[in-house]
Amino acid sequence: MKAVLFDKAGGPEVLTLAEVPDPEPGPGQILIRVRATAVNRADLLQRRGRYPPPPGESEILGLELAGEVEALGPGVEGVAPRDRVFALVAGGGYAEKAVMDYRLALPMPSRWSFTEAAAVPEAFLTAQEVLFTAGGLQAGEAVLIHAAASGVGTAAVQMAKQAGAKVLATVGTERKLKAAIELGAEAGCLYKERDFASWVEEVTGKQGVDLIADPVGASYWERNIRCLREGGRLVVYGLLGGKAVSADLWTLMSRRVTVTGVVMRSRTPDDKAEIVRRFRMRWLPLLEARVIRPVIDAVFPWDAVADAHRRMEANENVGKIVLEVP
């Protein structure tokens, strides 16, 4: 089969298509003929040598895919050859074929294209875990979603709105602000033009928010804490702004602030199967009915993968960047 490889860490130019051996499904695994995948920040980090895959997982880039089941390993139940599925994986999506735990395969709605399906897993499953499993978001609460025009951000805005929350957003451009408002945010802050913590104080009447979904990390730490109301929760799911902070523990204690983190790639297969079960019950029906939807920024043929990476590195995308695999 063909796969996107890189023989040394570097910029998008190191990505090339090459021939590699076909994977074989082991016990509890299925073999997928990949028809589409999508670009994620983790792919960019891995390409630069900064985010290796978990032990035992494919070295090939790609954390999500959509395609057709080709073969079954021993012990697989409820999945059959030629089924159209989409899934979150720990690696291997940038290839013509990939193997995965059968419990993580989600059935594709009949009206969906592979391109549409490939834009869902990383964004919506991560948003589910950040907002609801870790964040405990409830109807009537206020949530601040950073990077609201990213793949996860566009999913999170819609899911939070659907759950009855008041959604506030931070974004980098007017175009992204417009997109966040159209998806359900009540208000948005252009973080390059003003301090988002002061903005949150203003729009909430100094009450603060109940929950913050943050992919930035250290550089947002102090301002995030300022934004939280008493008893508020901060969920960190990315470290684009660094990983080390100096914390005032008295502030956390006296205001009963909860800080937690979410990571998806390194979770155990059992953890991931439970995440998929929750998603299939609550959110897949809403996606199938198009009450909520994946936002696709751009679609590239997979031999233009370097251009797709450049687009994400330039922060130009609103929503997902998808790669189509012939």
Side-chain angles (χ1 to χ4, degrees):
M1 71 173 184
K2 289 182 179 179
V4 175
L5 303 179
F6 57 98
D7 58 6
K8 62 179 179 179
E13 69 280 356
V14 303
L15 300 169
T16 60
L17 284 177
E19 294 283 345
V20 298
D22 287 7
E24 296 288 338
Q29 292 184 325
I30 54 178
L31 176 68
I32 306 297
R33 175 57 170 95
V34 179
R35 299 297 183 181
T37 183
V39 179
N40 289 284
R41 292 282 172 185
D43 302 330
L44 277 56
L45 291 171
Q46 185 176 335
R47 190 200 69 225
R48 293 190 175 278
R50 295 168 53 192
Y51 191 22
E57 299 292 350
S58 175
E59 297 282 344
I60 297 170
L61 300 175
L63 301 184
E64 54 196 328
L65 56 82
E68 301 147 320
V69 178
E70 270 202 356
L72 312 178
V76 171
E77 300 175 353
V79 183
R82 295 185 295 279
D83 282 355
R84 298 183 347 136
V85 299
F86 65 109
L88 186 67
V89 292
Y94 288 21
E96 291 180 319
K97 297 181 182 182
V99 294
M100 56 170 290
D101 188 316
Y102 80 96
R103 297 175 297 171
L104 308 187
L106 287 155
M108 273 181 57
S110 59
R111 295 179 295 168
W112 281 17
S113 67
F114 290 118
T115 298
E116 185 176 15
V120 170
E122 178 73 13
F124 282 85
L125 275 86
T126 300
Q128 167 189 269
E129 294 306 292
V130 169
L131 293 178
F132 302 101
T133 305
L137 184 64
Q138 301 293 322
E141 291 190 321
V143 57
L144 175 63
I145 297 174
H146 290 305
S150 67
V152 175
T154 54
V157 169
Q158 294 178 79
M159 295 164 85
K161 180 69 174 180
Q162 182 64 29
K166 176 181 179 180
V167 181
L168 304 179
T170 67
V171 293
T173 67
E174 289 284 358
R175 171 173 166 260
K176 293 182 177 183
L177 176 59
K178 181 176 183 292
I181 298 298
E182 288 176 349
L183 290 170
E186 294 194 16
C189 175
L190 296 172
Y191 68 86
K192 296 178 183 179
E193 297 184 6
R194 66 171 302 182
D195 173 59
F196 71 78
S198 298
W199 174 80
V200 167
E201 290 178 352
E202 178 183 310
V203 297
T204 65
K206 297 186 177 181
Q207 295 299 304
V209 296
D210 300 282
L211 175 65
I212 300 174
D214 177 36
V216 178
S219 63
Y220 275 13
W221 169 258
E222 292 184 359
R223 284 175 289 171
N224 277 338
I225 299 303
R226 280 175 54 197
C227 289
L228 290 171
R229 67 174 64 205
E230 186 173 341
R233 294 95 65 196
L234 167 63
V235 181
V236 179
Y237 68 96
L239 300 172
L240 295 172
K243 64 181 181 179
V245 301
S246 177
D248 179 354
L249 296 180
W250 173 245
T251 297
L252 303 185
M253 292 167 58
S254 62
R255 295 178 55 203
R256 297 184 293 106
V257 167
T258 300
V259 180
T260 189
V262 167
V263 66
M264 301 290 281
R265 191 178 191 184
S266 59
R267 303 279 279 271
T268 68
D270 287 346
D271 279 348
K272 291 179 181 178
E274 180 60 22
I275 290 169
V276 168
R277 186 196 66 80
R278 288 194 289 266
F279 178 80
R280 189 168 182 169
M281 289 181 61
R282 182 172 183 180
W283 300 108
L284 186 55
L286 296 178
L287 280 159
E288 186 168 7
R290 302 195 186 280
V291 175
I292 56 178
R293 61 181 177 85
V295 176
I296 298 177
D297 172 82
V299 180
F300 290 83
W302 78 326
D303 58 2
V305 60
D307 292 331
H309 275 225
R310 290 187 186 99
R311 183 168 181 81
M312 178 166 281
E313 286 188 327
N315 292 318
E316 294 175 349
N317 58 299
V318 173
K320 299 291 292 187
I321 298 172
V322 177
L323 300 173
E324 292 184 328
V325 183

